[in-house]
RNA sequence: AGACCCGUAGCUCAGUUGGUUAGAGCGCUACGUUGACAUCGUAGAGGUCAGCGGUUCGAGUCCGCUCGGGUCUACCA
């Protein structure tokens, strides 16, 4: 059969994917005896389209999954999507507004808006699914999950209820990060800080001078805080003052001593506003201070500030109050200063800290049974990584993880939006509260409403449900319909959970280590008693050529993965993201990078054509279909060498993959394939005696087949296609199901490996001579070789050397060919080689020799110095010393030979 | 402010527990189409490993400091 001139990914890839999927190769078997290898795909948001972050995630996870599947693991890669509460709701609301509906929440109502969101999600899920397929992802679509699937909802509520019973979930007034624009709380992690210039006001405040950038909050102060050691204020601590604010309320403040106060900053005295500052709230708890809310959810001042200021926006009030203070002579100074303001990472609007009743997860309560103790969630999270149960790569991220845990506060899990898992709590009046899967009483909504029950309007933080992802996806959907089963039984009776949890690797970007990875550890250890995964592999960010994170706001530098797939194929995109990939290392994805990948794929294709022709030529009609097995033993040194190289490559590649060094693994295969297989072996098999040896067909077929298998997890499409073309595999013998190569026992051949290395050096040396002597590239040369080692191997490669250096003749001699004056000579520990120079350019040869001599002498000086150093000889590793000795010897030989040569030339 | 990462060839990056002459791809230069491949081949140029100091027989590699770049966290009334 003849291969096409080029591989056409656009036509080939979808067809290949279809064959994989229809063959059932992606589907994992929970009943199998094989050891499982499991990856839960980080669920893309059900809103958008595939970006480079998804692409690198898919490339790496598919690589691991294919490789482990080929190794014989029961590989499960479970795909899915996330409902992405805030992102999705604000996207749909935005779309509706653009279509002319100014306030969709009001116009559609809760159920109407949810319906609109559901329709939008269904649509974009299809898009995401198509795009995941286009990447070549070998994930198990039969197990696809969505965070809002019924059995996942069921689990979310079950976990909430259990945590509530265990006292790990509580409701309390807390300062939350309120976004007045989105009318919702946002978590600490959803806040960005933005530097801006603000005014810093210093006010007369009772007997003190107090600095603030937010005078309007002073209307709600309940204390003044100073540092306990601050001599200036020592006498004031404990006293209470009445402070009448102009046109505002008279506030009562107590002076408290708190070590959180920096005596160096401002005046060293600060007004404490417990209702509108996290740090002040904590102080208020320590000193038991009252809390006055002066800013409302709408971002306007409340009634508490009196009729003059009430109803103003925060900014208006700041101006107005400052003006009144100034008029009353209470404003000491106003200066500009740089301030970091918290803004919501989604709405980009300022965050307003407010007190609100919210649901929290208590991370400090020792209520979790873990390894025979009762620990807090925080302690369990720490132990899971510190004990080595979970390994984080790159390792240094473990330190970041611990640092984060140490600073972790209770996790606010309620959100004032509609899209998401609604908090499963019902209230009746102020007193009664009910937590459960169904409404209280008869279990239906209307009935409960008639009895006066009202469900909490809030929904759960998206990360609450995604924190369960590694195992909520493994719950049997039919079991989940049985509401009499508790969480323990749901887990125990789900075959997928038994077989596939804990998962093997969690692969994701380091930017969501805290958002997601840490919370999976928290939730999973609590709910299942198991860790969610054994290894966390954090990939780097994909950067544009300027080293910035790619973003849609800069389309000129961004690479659109879908465009690359369309134009060049998924293999090119994948390889570009995998070559050079290392844990946690950011990757610049550029056009140049993709050129390199494209060329490698092209080389793979072209080599296949030659392999195909050669196999036909040697075997003719005897060429059998199927996959060439490893030949037991072969005779020719070059064939032995090839088998030895393949053997070593298999070992290197496998160990690199086991170490998660994906880029390194790809590089190993590339170097061996291009440098050893293509540039040397494929040239060697063009000449006799290899060209017609039966054993060459065995080695060639086996070697190429091995390269295809090693490359397959990186570039699955083109390798699958070539596998079919060369080895005529049926659907049940596709490469995706082939065995991962193993290092064959017999293929060691150390002598031939060294001998052929000498052949390669000989070829390179002679090629160098050609260039240095300015020999016409077309000229045929006469080469004389005197082997000093590996005699048989060098002689066996006579024809090969002749072809590779374009020699008219290659003659093996017994005497030193360097004694002939009319020749250029190369020396090596294994050989001396001379090229007859018809009309020799002796000056060039002399120059070359002198340079060689100088280099060798310089090097010898260094080596001898090292050997003369007694400390080195006695203390250093004996192997290192021996290596230096050997090296010095070679140097001396080179020097001697060059000197002799120069003498001959001088005659 | 604190923590962490990075600084190696023109560009993008490797460099495994310290050990001979620091590597690869792209780019560049010269030459070359001999039936897989010009999306190719051969050869070559190009690096005081950011700087300073230390440990060591020996440092790109370990330690300290300085400079430069980045990320995260906390934020200061």
């Amino acid at each position: 059969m003849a291969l096409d001139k080029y591989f056409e990914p656009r036509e080939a890839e979808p067809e290949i994917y279809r064959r994989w999927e229809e063959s059932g190769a992606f589907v994992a078997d929970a009943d199998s005896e094989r050891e499982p290898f499991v990856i839960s795909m980080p669920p893309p948001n059900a809103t958008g389209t595939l970006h480079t972050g998804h692409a690198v995630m898919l490339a790496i996870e598919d690589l691991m999954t294919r490789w482990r599947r080929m190794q014989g693991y029961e590989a499960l890669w479970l795909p899915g999507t996330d409902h992405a509460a805030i992102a999705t709701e604000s996207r749909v609301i935005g779309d509706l507004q653009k279509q002319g509906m100014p306030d969709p929440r009001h116009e559609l109502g809760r159920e109407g808006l949810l319906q609109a969101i559901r329709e939008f999600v269904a649509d974009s899920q299809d898009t995401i699914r198509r795009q995941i397929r286009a990447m070549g992802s070998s994930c198990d679509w039969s197990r696809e999950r969505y965070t809002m699937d019924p059995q996942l909802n069921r689990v979310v509520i079950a976990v909430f209820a259990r945590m509530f019973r265990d006292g790990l979930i509580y409701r309390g007034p807390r300062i939350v990060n309120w976004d007045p624009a989105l009318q919702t709380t946002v978590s600490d992690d959803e806040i960005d800080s933005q530097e801006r210039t603000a005014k810093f006001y210093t006010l007369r405040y009772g007997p003190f001078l107090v600095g603030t950038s937010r005078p309007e909050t002073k209307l709600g102060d309940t204390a003044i805080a100073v540092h306990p050691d601050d001599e200036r204020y020592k006498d004031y601590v404990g006293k209470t003052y009445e402070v009448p604010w102009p046109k505002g309320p008279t506030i009562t403040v107590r002076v408290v001593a708190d070590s959180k106060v920096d005596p160096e900053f401002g005046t060293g005295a600060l007004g404490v506003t417990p209702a509108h500052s996290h740090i002040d709230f904590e102080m208020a708890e320590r000193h038991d201070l009252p809390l006055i809310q002066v800013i409302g959810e709408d971002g306007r001042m409340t009634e508490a500030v009196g009729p003059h200021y009430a109803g103003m926006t925060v900014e208006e009030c700041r101006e107005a109050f400052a003006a009144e203070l100034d008029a009353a002579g209470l404003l000491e100074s106003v200066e500009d200063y740089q301030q970091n303001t918290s803004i919501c990472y989604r709405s980009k609007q300022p965050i307003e800290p407010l007190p609100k009743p919210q649901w929290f997860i208590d991370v400090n309560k020792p209520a979790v049974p873990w390894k025979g103790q009762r620990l807090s969630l925080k302690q369990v999270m720490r132990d899971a990584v510190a004990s080595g149960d979970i390994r984080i790569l790159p390792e240094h991220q473990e330190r970041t993880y611990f640092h984060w845990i140490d600073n972790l506060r209770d996790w606010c899990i309620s959100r004032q939006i509609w899209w998401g898992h609604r908090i499963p709590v019902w209230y009746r009046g102020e007193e009664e509260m009910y937590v459960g899967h169904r409404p209280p009483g008869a279990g239906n909504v209307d009935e409960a409403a008639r009895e006066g029950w009202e469900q909490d309007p809030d929904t759960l933080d998206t990360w609450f449900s995604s924190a369960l992802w590694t195992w909520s996806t493994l719950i049997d959907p039919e079991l989940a319909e049985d509401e009499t089963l508790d969480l323990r039984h749901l887990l125990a009776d789900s075959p997928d959970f038994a077989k596939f949890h804990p998962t093997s690797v969690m692969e994701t970007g380091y930017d969501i280590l805290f958002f997601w990875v840490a919370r999976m550890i928290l939730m999973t250890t609590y709910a299942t008693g198991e860790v969610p995964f054994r290894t966390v592999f954090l990939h780097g960010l994909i950067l544009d050529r300027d080293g910035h994170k790619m973003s849609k706001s800069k389309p000129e530098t961004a690479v659109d993965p879908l465009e690359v797939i369309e134009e060049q194929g998924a293999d090119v995109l994948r390889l570009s993201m995998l070559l050079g990939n290392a844990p946690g290392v950011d990757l610049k994805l550029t056009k140049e990078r993709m050129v390199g990948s494209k060329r490698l794929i092209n080389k793979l294709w072209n080599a296949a054509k030659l392999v195909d022709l050669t196999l036909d030529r040697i075997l003719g009609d005897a060429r059998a279909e199927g996959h060439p097995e490893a030949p037991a033993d072969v005779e020719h040194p070059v064939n032995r060498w090839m088998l030895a190289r393949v053997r070593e490559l298999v070992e290197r590649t496998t160990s690199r993959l086991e170490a998660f060094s994906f880029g390194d693994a790809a590089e190993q295969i590339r170097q061996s394939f291009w440098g050893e297989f293509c540039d040397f072996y494929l040239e060697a098999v063009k000449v006799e005696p290899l060209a017609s040896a039966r054993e060459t067909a065995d080695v060639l077929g086996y070697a190429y087949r091995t390269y295809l298998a090693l490359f397959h997890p990186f570039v699955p499409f083109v390798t699958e296609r070539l596998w079919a073309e060369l080895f005529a595999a049926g659907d049940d013998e596709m490469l995706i199901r082939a065995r991962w190569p193993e290092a064959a026992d017999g293929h060691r051949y150390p002598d031939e490996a060294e001998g052929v290395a000498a052949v390669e050096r000989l070829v390179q040396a002679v090629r160098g001579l050609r260039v240095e002597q300015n020999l016409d590239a077309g000229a045929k040369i006469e080469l004389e070789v005197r082997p000093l080692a590996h005699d048989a191997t060098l002689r066996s490669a006579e024809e090969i050397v002749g072809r590779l250096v374009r020699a008219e003749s290659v003659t093996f001699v017994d005497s030193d060919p360097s004694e002939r004056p009319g020749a250029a000579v190369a020396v090596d520990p294994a050989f001396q080689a001379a090229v007859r120079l018809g009309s020799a350019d002796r000056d060039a040869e002399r120059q070359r020799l002198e340079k060689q001599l100088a280099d060798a002498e310089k090097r010898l000086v260094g080596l001898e110095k090292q050997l003369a150093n007694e400390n080195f000889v006695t203390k250093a590793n004996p192997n290192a010393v021996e290596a230096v000795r050997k090296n010095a010897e070679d140097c001396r030989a080179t020097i001697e030979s060059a000197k002799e040569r120069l003498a001959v030339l001088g005659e």
Side-chain angles (χ1 to χ4, degrees), chain A residues 89-346:
Chain A
E89 181 165 317
S90 63
R91 166 73 193 267
V92 172
I93 287 178
D95 285 356
L96 289 168
Q97 283 169 337
K98 265 182 227 152
Q99 292 160 22
M101 190 186 285
D103 191 349
R105 280 174 162 243
H106 259 100
E107 290 184 48
L108 297 175
R110 187 163 190 139
E111 210 25 68
L113 182 63
L114 291 181
Q115 193 48 43
I117 296 173
R118 279 186 207 109
E119 282 163 21
F120 169 81
V121 164
D123 214 41
S124 57
Q125 275 175 328
D126 279 344
T127 309
I128 289 280
R129 289 185 190 112
R130 266 202 309 279
Q131 292 169 343
I132 292 173
R133 285 181 161 87
M135 278 294 290
S137 314
S138 63
C139 48
D140 186 347
W141 292 106
S142 73
R143 288 182 167 85
E144 185 193 353
R145 295 289 185 263
Y146 172 46
T147 48
M148 297 282 266
D149 281 343
Q151 80 267 32
L152 274 75
N153 289 340
R154 168 93 164 75
V155 170
V156 164
I157 291 164
V159 170
F160 184 99
R162 194 165 119 190
M163 291 186 110
F164 182 81
R165 273 202 313 279
D166 287 347
L168 285 168
I169 283 185
Y170 66 92
R171 188 171 193 241
R174 288 293 295 257
I175 301 298
V176 298
N177 305 303
W178 180 259
D179 182 341
L182 293 179
Q183 286 288 297
T184 180
T185 53
V186 292
S187 71
D188 289 349
D189 304 313
E190 292 165 325
I191 295 172
D192 289 331
S193 78
Q194 195 180 60
E195 193 162 290
R196 56 173 70 169
T197 305
K199 287 195 165 60
F200 187 72
Y201 305 82
T202 304
L203 351 164
R204 293 214 157 273
Y205 194 135
F208 302 94
L209 282 176
V210 161
T212 182
S213 62
R214 300 200 56 187
E216 73 280 6
T217 62
K218 302 298 98 183
L219 294 163
D221 275 9
T222 54
I224 287 178
V226 298
H227 195 273
D229 301 333
D230 196 327
E231 293 297 329
R232 293 170 293 179
Y233 303 117
K234 211 155 194 155
D235 297 340
Y236 295 96
V237 174
K239 298 200 167 114
T240 299
Y241 297 91
E242 303 273 309
V243 181
W245 289 128
K247 299 201 176 170
T250 294
I251 59 168
T252 305
V253 291
R254 180 149 58 89
V255 182
V256 298
D258 197 294
S259 53
K260 285 275 159 142
V261 178
D262 176 4
E264 304 295 321
F265 189 89
T267 61
L270 81 101
V272 182
T273 320
H276 300 289
S277 154
H278 290 282
I279 190 159
D280 291 7
F281 183 84
E282 284 168 19
M283 277 193 209
E285 286 200 316
R286 281 197 287 275
H287 303 284
D288 199 21
L289 301 169
L291 187 138
I292 302 171
Q293 183 171 351
V294 295
I295 301 170
E297 291 176 20
D298 53 2
R300 292 173 181 273
M301 304 308 288
T302 64
E303 300 299 326
V305 297
H308 182 71
Y309 300 114
M312 288 183 182
T313 65
V314 168
E315 290 75 16
E316 286 164 359
C317 182
R318 186 175 308 156
E319 293 293 322
F321 185 48
E324 295 299 336
L325 286 169
D326 197 16
L330 296 173
L331 189 57
E332 188 71 15
S333 66
V334 181
E335 294 157 42
D336 281 347
Y337 90 122
Q338 287 300 308
Q339 183 198 34
N340 286 316
T341 310
S342 297
I343 58 167
C344 173
Y345 89 117
R346 202 160 289 286

Side-chain angles (χ1 to χ4, degrees), chain A residues 846-864:
Chain A
R846 185 174 288 110
Q847 273 179 19
R848 191 182 67 82
L849 285 166
E850 279 167 355
K851 182 172 185 298
Q852 190 180 47
L853 183 61
D855 285 352
E857 280 177 335
K858 190 176 156 202
R859 211 172 131 227
L860 184 61
V861 169
L863 292 168
E864 280 180 338

Side-chain angles (χ1 to χ4, degrees), chain A residues 561-572:
Chain A
L562 299 166
E563 213 170 273
V564 177
I565 291 172
E566 179 66 21
E567 287 168 8
Q568 310 195 57
D571 284 335
V572 169

Side-chain angles (χ1 to χ4, degrees), chain A residues 447-653:
Chain A
E447 195 74 23
R450 265 199 297 283
E451 289 170 17
W453 290 97
E454 206 174 321
Q455 187 172 7
D456 194 304
D458 289 357
T459 49
L460 288 168
D461 183 5
T462 311
W463 301 109
F464 189 100
S465 55
S466 31
L468 319 176
W469 185 249
T470 61
W471 54 274
S472 61
T473 52
L474 299 174
I475 300 276
D476 190 284
E478 281 178 29
L479 273 183
E481 286 172 17
D482 182 349
E483 289 176 15
T484 64
L485 292 175
D486 65 10
L487 191 54
R488 196 147 36 90
H489 286 99
L490 283 179
L491 290 169
D493 297 343
S494 292
D496 277 5
F497 181 79
K499 175 75 182 176
F500 296 118
H501 203 270
T503 64
S504 313
V505 179
M506 172 49 60
E507 193 281 336
T508 186
Y510 62 73
D511 47 339
I512 57 170
L513 177 62
F514 307 133
F515 281 100
W516 191 40
V517 176
R519 281 168 185 164
M520 283 191 280
I521 297 173
L522 182 158
M523 283 296 202
T524 306
T525 49
Y526 167 75
T528 72
E530 294 179 357
V531 293
F533 30 69
R534 300 290 180 200
T535 302
V536 177
F537 178 91
L538 299 168
H539 63 244
L541 302 177
I542 301 298
L543 306 175
D544 63 23
R545 80 176 86 86
D546 302 323
H548 298 113
K549 200 170 165 173
M550 282 189 188
S551 72
K552 282 177 189 153
S553 57
K554 284 185 298 173
E556 70 281 4
T557 58
V559 172
D560 177 358
L562 299 166
E563 213 170 273
V564 177
I565 291 172
E566 179 66 21
E567 287 168 8
Q568 310 195 57
D571 284 335
V572 169
L573 181 63
R574 293 168 60 117
L575 195 55
S576 303
M577 291 177 147
L578 293 171
L579 271 167
N581 194 297
V585 176
D586 293 346
L587 193 95
K588 289 187 192 175
L589 187 63
T590 58
K591 292 226 157 60
E592 296 76 36
R593 209 184 179 93
M594 288 189 275
V595 168
S597 310
K598 180 127 196 175
R599 287 184 186 169
L600 177 53
I601 289 165
N602 186 252
K603 191 75 176 173
L604 200 54
W605 187 264
N606 282 311
K609 286 196 263 185
L610 182 57
V611 170
D612 195 38
L613 289 172
T614 309
L615 291 178
D616 273 349
R617 197 192 64 229
I618 298 176
L619 300 173
D621 293 341
R623 184 173 169 190
E625 301 216 327
H627 320 139
E629 292 305 320
D633 196 15
V634 291
E635 292 298 326
H636 195 279
V638 170
N639 277 334
R640 290 186 161 193
W641 168 85
M642 191 69 244
L643 292 178
R645 301 316 294 155
V646 167
R647 178 183 195 287
E648 275 183 39
L649 175 65
V650 167
E651 282 183 335
R652 280 203 306 276
T653 306

Side-chain angles (χ1 to χ4, degrees), chain A residues 817-886:
Chain A
S818 66
E819 282 160 19
R820 266 178 285 283
V825 174
V827 293
D828 182 277
F831 57 79
Q832 295 165 324
V835 176
R836 280 183 188 280
L837 300 173
S839 51
D841 182 346
R842 296 205 185 183
D843 283 342
E845 173 68 354
R846 185 174 288 110
Q847 273 179 19
R848 191 182 67 82
L849 285 166
E850 279 167 355
K851 182 172 185 298
Q852 190 180 47
L853 183 61
D855 285 352
E857 280 177 335
K858 190 176 156 202
R859 211 172 131 227
L860 184 61
V861 169
L863 292 168
E864 280 180 338
K865 202 168 147 193
Q866 207 172 355
L867 286 170
N869 182 337
E870 208 163 307
N871 279 320
F872 173 67
V873 179
T874 53
K875 290 187 189 173
N877 181 323
N879 291 336
V881 178
E882 189 45 44
V884 173
R885 281 220 175 91
K886 169 86 166 52

